C-alpha cells in the first residue's frame, strides 16, 4: 500500500482513479507510467489532449540580491493546438504591471485609489526581453531534418493592449512569426530576459532578504482552438495558462533556502558563493519560487487509507516558530476533506510558505506551492493560520487542477474554493471566536463568548448592497469599480472592495451553499466530484459547470442561474405582519428583494403545533390565514436557512414575546468589566 502511493522523484504524477462510495471518493493509486495512461483514459472523453502537453519550460535564473534583478533564459517548447495556422506569439510580462503607475493594473478598478507617491525609483519592477528566437521545424522529424529553420525575433516585437487600449501598459508582448505555425506544429522558443523585483505588491516582490517570486518570467498565453490568443492584459484578475512541464535551475546566495513549484532534484554549490537549486514538475500551469536565509524547514507526510500520500514541506519564519503543528493540521484537513468530497490531489508533494511580516505575499496559491499567513501572537481558536492555510491549499484542487480561465471567470476558482473552505472550517475548526487587535494592531484579544460563522453574507444588506455593483456573468477583468460608502463615512475615502471581490468570492460561495442546501449534500457532493473529475486539466467554463449540475441533479436550474449568475438582484424575504382577531389569525410574508427563490414558512403556535408552508416566492407577498384559538408564537421564513443569499435574516423571524433582557444585561456587565480592566492597565503604566 505504501509503495503504491509513492511518487517518482522529480515531480512526476502518479495516477489515481476514483469510485464513488458512500458520499466519498475512494481512490486507487497507480504507478507513474500507469498513471499517465490513466490520466489520458479518464480525461480524454471530456477534454482534448492539448491542456496536458501544450507548453514546456526550461528556465535558468540567477537572483542578484544587491540589484534585485533576476537574469534568466527560458527555452519554451510550444505546440500549436489550434485547428488553424497561428501567425504570432503572445507573452504575458506580468512584472511590467508595476513598471510605473500608468499600467492598466495600477489604474484598474481594484487598485486605482492606491497612493504610490512614496515609491522610490528602484522599488518599481519590469520584465525586459534581451533576446528572442524561434525554431520552426515543421510537423515531422523528417521535415525537421530536411528544413531546419531558426529565426531571430529580437527587437521584432511590440506591446499590445487588446483589452483597454492603454498605450502605457506593457503586460502583453506580441511577436510576429516569420511564417504561420501550422496545426500541431512544435516551436522551440528561446527567451533571454531580465526581471526587476519590486517592493512587495500583489503578492510578489522582496522585503529585506525575503523574496517571493510569482509570474516573474515571460509566459506564453493560451491559444484557443479557433486560433485566437487568450492573452489578456494584467488588469485586476488572476491568471490563465497552459499545462506543461517545468524544469528550473535557480541560483541564489549559498546558504539560502529555496521553495518552489515541483520537487527539488539537485542542489549544486558554485565557486562564486552561490548555489543552484534545480526543480522539476510535470502537468502544472505556473512556476513560482521563494528564497530567504531565514526559513525554518519542517516536513511531514500526509497519509490516508484511500488517498495518495503527500510529502508536506513547511518553510516557516522564525517569529512564527511553534505554529508548525497548526499549519500542518490545516493542510492535512484540506487534503483529506477536499480529497474525500471532490477528488484526490495527484502530486506527491506540496510546499507551504509562511510569508515574512509585511511582505504582502500571504494567502496566495500556485501549483504545488502556496502561502499561508500568521502573526507572532495568534491565539488558538482565532482561525489564523488555519483559515488561510485551508483556503490556499484548497486552491490546489480548483485553481491547480481544474484550472479555469481566471481572467474571465475567477469565480469558478475563488468562489468554489471559498465555499469549500467554509465547509472544511465548519467541520474541523469550529467554533472560531471573534478576535480584535489593540496597541497598534499588535496585541490580540480573543472573545470566547462571540463565535464567528465562516460562511455568511454579513455586511452585504441594504439598498447599497455590494451584491448590486455588477452582474456576476461579466468577465472578471471587466468587473465594476469599488463603491464609495458615503453611508459609512460621509466625506471620507472609505470604499468597498468592488464588484470583483463580491462576484469572485462572496456571491458564488453563497450561491453554491444555497445549491447544496436546496439539492441536498448527497446530490451536491456528486455534482462537485463529477465536475472535478471530468474537468481536471480541462480549463472549463461556466456552461460546463451548469451542465454538470443539470445532469447530476436531473433538474433544469436555469431559473436559478438567471437570478444569480446573470443578475445583480438581491434576495430578501421577510415576515411583514402577524395579526390575531380571536380565532382568526393571518400572516403576511413579503419579498423585499428583486430576486426570487422558493422558500418555506414555519408558523409555530403557543401549544407547540407547527405548520410548514411552501411558497414559490415569485409574487411580492403572500397571506396565510388560520382559524384556531391558539396564538401564534413565532413565524420563520426559510427556517432551514436554505437561501444563504438572503441579505437580511433579521427580518426573517417574528416573535410574539421579546426575549428576556437578561442576555443584554449579561453582555453589558461583561463589557464593562473588560473595559474597566483595560483602563486600569493603562493607568498602571502611565
Amino acid at each position: 500500500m505504501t509503495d503504491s502511493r509513492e511518487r517518482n522523484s522529480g515531480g512526476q504524477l502518479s495516477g489515481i482513479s476514483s469510485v464513488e462510495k458512500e458520499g466519498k471518493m475512494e481512490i486507487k493509486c497507480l504507478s507513474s507510467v500507469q498513471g499517465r495512461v490513466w490520466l489520458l483514459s479518464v480525461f480524454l472523453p471530456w477534454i482534448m489532449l492539448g491542456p496536458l502537453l501544450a507548453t514546456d519550460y526550461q528556465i535558468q535564473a540567477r537572483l542578484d540580491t544587491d540589484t534585485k534583478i533576476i537574469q534568466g533564459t527560458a527555452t519554451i517548447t510550444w505546440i500549436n493546438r489550434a485547428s488553424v495556422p497561428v501567425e504570432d506569439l503572445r507573452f504575458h510580462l506580468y512584472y511590467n504591471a508595476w513598471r510605473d503607475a500608468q499600467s492598466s493594473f495600477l489604474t484598474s478598478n481594484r487598485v486605482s485609489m492606491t497612493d504610490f507617491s512614496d515609491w522610490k525609483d528602484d522599488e518599481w519592477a519590469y520584465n525586459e526581453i534581451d533576446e528572442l528566437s524561434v525554431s520552426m521545424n515543421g510537423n515531422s522529424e523528417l521535415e525537421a531534418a530536411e528544413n531546419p529553420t531558426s529565426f531571430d525575433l529580437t527587437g521584432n516585437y511590440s506591446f499590445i493592449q487588446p483589452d483597454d487600449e492603454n498605450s502605457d501598459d506593457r503586460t502583453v508582448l506580441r511577436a510576429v512569426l516569420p511564417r504561420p505555425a501550422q496545426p500541431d506544429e512544435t516551436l522551440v522558443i528561446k527567451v533571454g530576459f531580465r526581471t526587476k523585483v519590486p517592493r512587495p505588491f500583489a503578492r510578489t516582490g522582496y522585503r529585506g532578504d525575503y523574496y517571493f517570486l510569482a509570474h516573474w518570467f515571460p509566459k506564453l498565453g493560451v491559444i484557443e482552438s479557433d486560433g485566437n490568443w487568450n492573452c489578456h492584459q494584467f488588469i485586476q484578475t488572476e491568471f490563465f495558462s497552459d499545462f506543461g512541464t517545468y524544469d528550473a535551475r535557480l541560483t541564489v546566495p549559498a546558504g539560502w533556502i529555496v521553495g518552489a513549484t515541483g520537487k527539488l532534484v539537485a542542489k549544486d554549490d558554485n565557486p562564486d558563493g552561490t548555489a543552484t537549486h534545480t526543480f522539476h514538475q510535470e502537468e502544472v500551469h505556473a512556476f513560482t519560487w521563494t528564497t530567504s536565509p531565514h526559513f525554518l524547514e519542517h516536513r511531514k507526510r500526509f497519509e490516508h487509507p484511500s488517498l495518495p500520500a503527500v510529502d508536506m514541506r513547511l518553510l516557516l519564519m522564525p517569529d512564527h516558530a511553534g505554529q508548525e503543528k497548526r499549519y500542518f493540521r490545516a493542510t492535512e484537513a484540506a487534503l483529506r476533506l477536499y480529497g474525500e468530497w471532490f477528488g484526490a490531489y495527484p502530486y506527491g508533494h506540496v510546499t507551504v510558505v509562511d510569508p515574512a511580516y509585511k511582505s504582502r505575499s500571504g494567502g496566495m496559491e500556485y501549483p504545488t506551492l502556496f502561502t499561508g499567513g500568521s502573526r507572532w501572537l495568534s491565539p488558538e481558536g482565532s482561525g489564523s493560520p488555519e483559515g488561510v492555510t485551508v483556503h490556499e491549499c484548497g486552491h490546489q484542487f480548483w485553481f491547480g487542477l481544474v484550472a479555469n480561465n481566471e481572467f474571465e471567470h475567477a469565480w469558478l476558482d475563488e468562489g468554489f474554493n471559498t465555499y469549500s473552505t467554509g465547509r472544511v472550517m465548519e467541520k474541523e475548526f469550529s467554533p472560531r471566536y471573534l478576535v480584535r487587535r489593540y496597541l497598534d494592531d499588535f496585541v490580540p484579544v480573543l472573545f470566547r463568548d462571540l463565535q464567528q460563522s465562516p460562511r455568511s453574507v454579513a455586511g452585504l444588506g441594504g439598498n447599497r448592497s455590494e451584491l448590486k455593483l455588477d452582474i456576476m456573468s461579466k468577465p472578471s477583468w471587466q468587473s465594476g469599480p469599488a463603491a464609495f460608502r458615503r453611508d459609512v463615512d460621509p466625506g471620507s475615502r472609505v470604499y468597498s472592495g468592488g464588484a470583483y471581490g463580491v462576484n469572485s468570492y462572496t456571491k458564488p460561495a453563497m450561491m453554491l451553499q444555497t445549491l447544496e442546501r436546496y439539492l441536498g449534500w448527497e446530490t451536491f457532493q456528486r455534482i462537485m466530484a463529477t465536475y472535478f473529475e471530468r474537468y481536471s486539466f480541462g480549463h472549463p467554463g461556466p456552461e460546463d459547470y451548469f451542465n454538470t449540475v443539470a445532469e447530476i441533479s436531473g433538474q433544469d436550474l436555469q431559473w436559478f442561474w438567471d437570478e444569480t449568475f446573470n443578475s445583480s438582484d438581491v434576495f430578501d424575504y421577510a415576515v411583514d405582519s402577524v395579526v390575531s382577531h380571536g380565532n382568526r389569525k393571518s400572516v403576511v410574508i413579503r419579498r423585499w428583494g428583486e430576486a426570487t427563490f422558493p422558500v418555506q414558512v414555519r408558523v409555530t403556535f403557543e401549544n407547540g403545533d407547527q405548520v410548514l408552508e411552501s411558497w414559490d416566492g415569485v409574487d411580492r407577498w403572500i397571506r396565510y390565514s388560520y382559524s384556531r384559538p391558539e396564538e401564534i408564537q413565532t413565524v420563520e421564513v426559510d427556517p432551514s436557512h436554505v437561501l444563504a443569499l438572503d441579505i437580511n435574516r433579521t427580518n426573517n423571524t417574528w416573535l410574539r414575546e421579546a426575549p428576556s433582557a437578561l442576555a443584554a444585561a449579561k453582555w453589558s456587565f461583561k463589557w464593562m468589566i473588560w473595559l474597566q480592566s483595560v483602563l486600569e492597565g493603562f493607568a498602571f503604566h502611565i
Side-chain angles (χ1 to χ4, degrees), residues 26 36 82 106 139 155 261 292 446 497 506 592 601 676:
E26 184 174 291
R36 190 67 63 86
L106 295 184
N139 290 331
T261 294
S292 173
L446 186 144
T506 309
W592 290 112
V601 179
Q676 179 179 343

Side-chain angles (χ1 to χ4, degrees), residues 416-542:
F416 275 48
N417 199 41
T418 301
Y419 159 80
S420 306
T421 300
R423 281 198 117 258
V424 174
M425 293 300 292
E426 286 181 357
K427 182 174 178 58
E428 295 292 313
F429 300 100
S430 289
R432 288 194 305 161
Y433 302 103
L434 178 68
V435 175
R436 288 288 181 263
R437 291 185 173 270
Y438 302 93
L439 300 180
D440 198 24
D441 203 37
F442 183 69
V443 177
V445 176
L446 186 144
F447 299 93
R448 293 193 177 274
D449 291 316
L450 295 176
Q451 295 185 18
Q452 296 190 83
S453 170
R455 300 194 282 175
S456 70
V457 288
L460 296 181
N463 293 330
R464 295 189 180 185
S465 170
E466 291 187 16
L467 294 168
K468 298 181 179 182
L469 289 177
D470 210 338
I471 60 173
M472 192 173 150
S473 57
K474 181 175 288 187
S476 301
W477 67 271
Q478 293 180 326
S479 293
F484 282 88
R485 297 300 302 271
R486 306 300 185 194
D487 55 327
V488 175
D489 189 359
S492 78
R493 299 175 68 83
V494 176
Y495 58 95
S496 73
Y500 177 84
V502 170
N503 287 333
S504 298
Y505 294 82
T506 309
K507 183 176 181 178
M510 295 301 99
M511 184 177 77
L512 295 178
Q513 186 177 349
T514 298
L515 273 180
E516 175 198 325
R517 296 172 178 177
Y518 180 71
L519 298 173
W521 166 243
E522 183 178 351
T523 298
F524 192 67
Q525 183 268 332
R526 286 195 294 116
I527 289 170
M528 300 297 278
T530 301
Y531 174 77
F532 177 82
E533 182 179 45
R534 182 172 294 176
Y535 293 107
S536 286
F537 305 101
H539 302 320

